[in-house]
Amino acid sequence: MRARCGPSFQDSDPLPSKRTKQPDRWFGREGEYDPHKRMPDMDSMGIDISVLFPTRLMGVPAVVEDPGLASAISRAYNDWLAEEYCSAYPDRLKGTAMIPVQDPKLAVQEMRRAADLGMVAGIFIPHVGEKLLDNDYFFPIYDAAQEIGLPIAIHTNSVINPSRHMMNYALGNALNTFSSMMGLGSVVFGGVLDKFPRLKFAFLESGGGWVPYVMERMTVRQKALPHLLSHLERSVEEYMRSDQLYYSVEPDELTVPAVAQIVGEERLVMGSDYAHFDGSAPESIRLVMKRTDISDDLKRKILSDNPARLYKI
C-alpha cells in the first residue's frame, strides 16, 4: 500500500530506487520475520545482540485513534516479537514493546506485560497529537516505566512531522528530526527528568548532529527567560549530559566527534537500520570501525558499552 498526503506528496516507496542505485545495501531481508535467517545476517555484520524496533507499525501511535484497537495491535505485535521471534535466540534478540499511548491505563498495563515478556524498552513517538512528552497525560506511563526499569525509546516518525503536509516525501523524511527536537525539548524544559529521576529516554532514528544545536538554543533560553523555567533544578547542559538521556548517531555521520565532545561519549548509541531503505546494512558496523576521526574507545562505547547500559543487557 502506498501512502499519499496531498497533491505534492510523492510515492513513498523508495525501495525500487535503492534496488537499482544501491545494490550493495540490504532491504527486504527474510531475517526481518524469520529469526533463523536473522542469525547469519547478524554474524555477517558483526552484531552479537540486536535490539529490535518495528518499522511500519510505528505509525500506530500517530494515526490510530481508538484505544482498544491500538492496544490490540500492540499486544499482538509484542506477543509475536517476544514469543515467536526473540524466543528463538533469546540471548541475541531483544524486543522493544509497542505501547498504546492512546490510553494511559492500557499503556501501563502493556508496559508491565512487556517487561514480563522480556522486552528491554517501550517505544514512544515524540508527541501524540498536540500532547508533548511533558504532558501529565504520560506521567502514569513514566511512573510505571521508572518502577520496572524500562527506558522510553523515542523513535522519530515522519508520519507526525508537523511540517509534513508542506513537503514532498524526500524532504519530509530528511527533516523528520523536527519531531525529535520537540520531544527532547519538552522532556528537558518540562522538568520530566526531575519528576522521574530514574527514568531514561533514548532519542533514536534521527541522527545526532541536531542535539548540540538544541542544547545550545535551550541553554540560551534558560538564561534569557529564567522566570518561565524556574521549576528546573539543573541547567540544560546538565540534563542533556546526564545518564537519563541517550542519543543515536549514524554510522557515517560527520558530526559524531563533535556530538561526543559536547554531549558526552557515554550518551551515544547507534542503530544498524537492518534492511531499511535508508539504512547502511550490511556495512553499518564496518563503517564505524574504519573511521579515523573517532577513537577506538568511543567506537566501543557507541557499539557496545552504551547500549548495553541503556537496555540493561
Side-chain angles (χ1 to χ4, degrees):
M1 181 176 181
R2 295 176 177 176
R4 297 186 179 275
C5 179
S8 65
F9 192 64
Q10 297 176 352
D11 188 345
S12 65
D13 181 8
L15 294 184
S17 175
K18 182 174 183 179
R19 183 180 294 111
T20 57
K21 296 181 180 179
Q22 295 180 293
D24 59 327
R25 295 294 192 250
W26 283 352
F27 59 91
R29 302 290 289 184
E30 292 181 87
E32 292 179 88
Y33 53 85
D34 183 342
H36 304 295
K37 298 292 181 63
R38 185 68 169 256
M39 291 300 104
D41 283 354
M42 288 172 56
D43 292 340
S44 173
M45 293 178 68
I47 295 175
D48 297 317
I49 301 173
S50 286
V51 177
L52 308 173
F53 292 82
T55 298
R56 296 188 184 277
L57 281 179
M58 281 305 304
V60 171
V63 301
V64 174
E65 296 181 358
D66 181 82
L69 176 59
S71 179
I73 295 172
S74 297
R75 289 177 64 88
Y77 172 76
N78 294 338
D79 284 345
W80 171 80
L81 183 60
E83 297 175 357
E84 298 185 34
Y85 194 90
C86 293
S87 63
Y89 302 92
D91 293 335
R92 301 193 66 184
L93 299 174
K94 307 294 182 180
T96 56
M98 288 285 296
I99 303 299
V101 294
Q102 290 83 346
D103 183 309
K105 183 178 180 179
L106 294 175
V108 168
Q109 292 175 359
E110 192 59 20
M111 182 78 73
R112 294 187 182 281
R113 202 178 72 88
D116 291 338
L117 289 172
M119 302 287 197
V120 298
I123 305 168
F124 268 54
I125 52 178
H127 61 88
V128 177
E130 296 183 357
K131 295 182 181 70
L132 294 177
L133 296 176
D134 62 336
N135 194 301
D136 59 10
Y137 172 92
F138 299 108
F139 288 1
I141 310 174
Y142 297 161
D143 190 53
Q146 177 176 253
E147 177 192 339
I148 60 183
L150 285 186
I152 301 294
I154 307 296
H155 192 295
T156 198
N157 194 325
S158 57
V159 171
I160 57 171
N161 186 329
S163 300
R164 184 174 182 266
H165 67 283
M166 296 187 294
M167 303 177 181
N168 61 34
Y169 181 82
L171 184 58
N173 189 268
L175 301 184
N176 60 17
T177 304
F178 288 162
S179 296
S180 293
M181 290 182 178
M182 294 167 61
L184 176 58
S186 65
V187 165
V188 174
F189 270 2
V192 175
L193 303 179
D194 293 326
K195 295 182 178 72
F196 303 94
R198 301 190 311 278
L199 182 61
K200 299 182 187 299
F201 288 86
F203 287 84
L204 310 173
E205 192 68 10
S206 53
W210 59 275
V211 178
Y213 166 78
V214 168
M215 184 170 76
E216 183 176 39
R217 295 286 294 178
M218 294 176 66
T219 295
V220 171
R221 270 48 188 183
Q222 187 180 30
K223 295 176 181 178
L225 302 169
H227 59 293
L228 298 180
L229 300 167
S230 59
H231 58 281
L232 297 182
E233 300 176 6
R234 290 172 278 172
S235 69
V236 168
E237 293 100 325
E238 288 175 309
Y239 287 117
M240 293 186 61
R241 292 171 179 153
S242 78
D243 63 2
Q244 288 185 266
L245 293 176
Y246 290 76
Y247 318 96
S248 69
V249 293
E250 301 297 328
D252 53 355
E253 190 172 357
L254 294 175
T255 57
V256 170
V259 177
Q261 179 181 6
I262 295 170
V263 180
E265 294 187 358
E266 289 73 21
R267 306 277 63 81
L268 306 186
V269 296
M270 190 207 81
S272 67
D273 245 356
Y274 172 76
H276 198 259
F277 81 87
D278 62 349
S280 53
E283 299 301 314
S284 309
I285 307 302
R286 287 184 281 273
L287 286 172
V288 175
M289 295 307 297
K290 72 180 184 181
R291 292 183 68 148
T292 59
D293 59 340
I294 59 177
S295 68
D296 290 343
D297 187 50
L298 178 54
K299 294 173 185 177
R300 188 191 71 252
K301 289 178 180 178
I302 292 174
L303 296 176
S304 179
D305 295 356
N306 296 345
R309 184 172 61 253
L310 170 61
Y311 298 117
K312 298 182 179 179
I313 298 173

